[in-house]
Amino acid sequence: SHGRSEANQWEPFDGLPDEARALVAAAPINSVPTRRHSPGPVCIPADLAPSVAGANAKPVSSQTAFGAVMLELARGDSAFAGRLLTMAPDVTTTTSLSGFVNKRGIFTSGDSEPDNFRAARAPGVASLNNWGKSARGQHIELGIAENNLLLCMAAAGLSAELFGHRLFPVGTLYDP
């Protein structure tokens, strides 16, 4: 029974000393005034990529158009562009996100690191990409696991309510 009475077995502090209740009450997580935040809106431009030609231009694939729009957003400094978080399960280049990642970088919670291929400078190894990693990066590279993509997008979509900072998750798949 561990000092718990049958009638109160589901009470969180039943059978525990008063100090336990005080310890939990003083925990940093309980100092947050609310666990649900309501951040203000983020202005989304009416035209996400003004320099990317519209329907009157030479036809291109939707993937090429997507990459051009994302690259233009990456070059800008709008609040919306700063809140984009892209992610891909090992298909960043083939889904035209490379330009965005070159400009905005890869997210890491650890120490900043240069692009692995550029840092290695191995003979015969060249890369058009410059994928440095830092806490300011706006892309998450997931490896080959589409399930991780969906979980990551869902978690990023909850950022406003949970952390008070709205993110706009953008995920890409290849041949779903």
Side-chain angles (χ1 to χ4, degrees), residues 129-149:
N129 299 318
N130 184 16
W131 291 7
K133 302 170 205 76
S134 76
R136 297 181 55 85
Q138 288 182 242
H139 176 76
I140 297 175
E141 190 63 28
L142 295 166
I144 303 173
E146 285 75 6
N147 188 50
N148 291 344
L149 170 69

Side-chain angles (χ1 to χ4, degrees), residues 40-148:
V42 173
C43 182
I44 299 175
D47 187 347
L48 294 178
S51 72
V52 175
N56 296 330
K58 177 183 170 189
V60 297
S61 71
S62 58
Q63 194 166 305
T64 299
F66 169 73
V69 169
M70 293 302 292
L71 177 57
E72 184 158 331
L73 285 167
R75 289 177 174 152
D77 62 355
S78 70
F80 175 67
R83 297 292 180 159
L84 287 170
L85 178 64
T86 62
M87 51 199 77
D90 203 34
V91 293
T92 301
T93 302
T94 55
T95 57
S96 300
L97 273 176
S98 292
F100 182 89
V101 177
N102 282 341
K103 294 286 183 195
R104 296 291 176 137
I106 294 179
F107 173 78
T108 182
S109 59
D111 294 332
S112 294
E113 301 174 35
D115 179 281
N116 293 341
F117 291 106
R118 289 181 183 266
R121 299 196 186 273
V125 175
S127 175
L128 296 175
N129 299 318
N130 184 16
W131 291 7
K133 302 170 205 76
S134 76
R136 297 181 55 85
Q138 288 182 242
H139 176 76
I140 297 175
E141 190 63 28
L142 295 166
I144 303 173
E146 285 75 6
N147 188 50
N148 291 344

Side-chain angles (χ1 to χ4, degrees), residues 10-56:
W10 296 110
E11 294 298 322
F13 297 100
D14 182 55
L16 296 176
D18 290 338
E19 291 83 13
R21 184 182 306 267
L23 180 69
V24 171
I29 194 168
N30 290 322
S31 67
V32 176
T34 179
R35 294 301 298 160
R36 294 188 69 88
H37 301 276
S38 298
V42 173
C43 182
I44 299 175
D47 187 347
L48 294 178
S51 72
V52 175
N56 296 330

Side-chain angles (χ1 to χ4, degrees), residues 145-160:
E146 285 75 6
N147 188 50
N148 291 344
L149 170 69
L150 300 177
L151 290 171
C152 191
M153 287 183 67
L158 292 172
S159 66

